[in-house]
Amino acid sequence: MLISFGCPVSGAWARPETITTVARRAEELGYSGLWAFQRLLVGQDQDLAPVYRSVLDPTVALTWAAAATSRIRLGVSVINVPYLSPAYLAKQVSTLDLLSGGRFDLGLGTGWSEPEFVATGSNPNPRGRRVEEYLTVLHTLFAGGTSSYSGSLYEIPPSEMAPRPAQPGGPPILLGGTADVALRRAGRIALGWVSSSRASIEDIARGARIVRAAAEEAGKDPSRVRIVVRGVLHSGPLSGTWAQIREGAQQYAEAGATELFYDPNWDPRIGGPDADPKAAAELAEEILTELAPR
């Protein structure tokens, strides 16, 4: 199982100098990737965790991290498809992939925040068809040359998007979701699944089985399916001493995960908007060092 780390995008540590320092240090320590997430805004009446109160745009933050590094991969878990047209996102991620030298992984979801749907003038429904058409448009544009698409939700007139992403066929696409139909979709049309921050070991094991079974039914090699897990520290198996957290991480591997990223954004001492920036950065550095891959 690959070990990765959360990119500083939330709260007190989400600063340019911290992104640069964490990205370079993570690369130096051998982490596989840096993962960001998306949150546009918080409604006045929403009672959300501190991690969601102040969040950088993930593609911009990861572009900053890309400029400071040369090897570590860069991922987002997840961008919500209703908020952006697929053509606009294709341009953004193609640019990031090209500038990073082909190091970007794209996680997509359908969203859950009603204020964000209202603010973006979007509707997640019909979720299944929307995601399928969205991926088709992305793959069409990533392929280069003159292309077009006409579906029930999206349309691309005959046109060409250049430059292409650095990775042939575009960045690897993974899907989020917890319902059985979403898990099967991830196995069938994407390269894998990214879990939510609330997923238990049992959720990961069950999700991995469903995703891999769907991939096999679609004629894919289930052993190549990616299962990416956000590891929220001080929660579930990732609690206790550093050694106990490492042991807990192994439980995710046994449950079927192919990659785990420790995400300090979910620690209110780090990702909380009112935390002390200096103390947050120091604590994140300690976590980064103590949990580095061996």
Side-chain angles (χ1 to χ4, degrees):
M1 182 178 70
L2 300 175
I3 298 296
S4 296
F5 206 73
C7 183
V9 293
S10 174
W13 77 322
R15 298 190 168 207
E17 64 274 15
T18 309
I19 295 175
T20 298
T21 300
V22 168
R24 288 176 175 167
R25 182 67 172 147
E27 184 169 82
E28 176 186 315
L29 290 170
Y31 281 90
S32 177
L34 283 174
W35 287 84
F37 70 97
Q38 182 189 58
R39 189 86 279 129
L40 298 183
L41 49 79
V42 177
Q44 185 175 17
D45 297 327
Q46 282 186 300
D47 182 19
L48 299 183
V51 65
Y52 296 128
R53 309 301 299 189
S54 175
V55 183
L56 299 177
D57 178 85
T59 58
V60 176
L62 290 172
T63 301
W64 187 276
T69 56
S70 60
R71 300 184 307 278
I72 196 166
R73 290 198 66 82
L74 310 157
V76 57
S77 171
V78 293
I79 288 176
N80 294 303
V81 301
Y83 303 165
L84 286 170
S85 77
Y88 195 89
L89 184 64
K91 172 59 72 174
Q92 283 188 314
V93 302
S94 293
T95 300
L96 172 50
D97 194 59
L98 185 65
L99 294 178
S100 68
R103 292 186 280 144
F104 183 58
D105 292 315
L106 175 59
L108 296 175
T110 56
W112 49 262
S113 175
E114 186 61 29
E116 290 183 338
F117 293 137
V118 173
T120 55
S122 62
N123 184 345
N125 299 313
R127 291 177 184 265
R129 187 161 77 245
R130 185 172 300 281
V131 171
E132 300 215 13
E133 286 197 18
Y134 204 99
L135 263 64
T136 300
V137 173
L138 290 180
H139 289 309
T140 297
L141 294 172
F142 289 156
T146 301
S147 59
S148 63
Y149 177 79
S150 182
S152 61
L153 298 171
Y154 301 107
E155 184 168 358
I156 303 294
S159 51
E160 180 177 353
M161 179 174 283
R164 299 183 191 183
Q167 297 177 88
I173 297 177
L174 303 100
L175 296 179
T178 57
D180 284 10
V181 65
L183 295 168
R184 288 193 293 269
R185 188 182 304 119
R188 181 167 51 84
I189 68 172
L191 296 182
W193 175 52
V194 286
S195 76
S196 78
S197 60
R198 301 178 300 278
S200 66
I201 289 287
E202 293 74 23
D203 293 333
I204 299 301
R206 175 179 170 277
R209 287 195 299 269
I210 294 173
V211 173
R212 290 195 167 103
E216 188 169 23
E217 290 170 7
K220 301 179 182 180
D221 181 353
S223 68
R224 297 179 65 84
V225 170
R226 294 174 60 182
I227 307 294
V228 179
V229 174
R230 168 178 278 110
V232 177
L233 296 170
H234 314 299
S235 175
L238 303 182
S239 302
T241 64
W242 299 122
Q244 288 171 328
I245 290 173
R246 287 180 177 277
E247 291 174 3
Q250 185 58 33
Q251 294 183 40
Y252 286 99
E254 294 166 358
T258 60
E259 182 174 351
L260 169 73
F261 64 99
Y262 298 113
D263 199 342
N265 287 293
W266 260 252
D267 188 329
R269 298 171 298 171
I270 298 173
D274 300 321
D276 176 74
K278 185 175 184 294
E282 290 174 351
L283 178 56
E285 167 65 23
E286 181 183 4
I287 296 169
L288 186 70
T289 301
E290 294 291 344
L291 296 178
R294 291 177 176 171

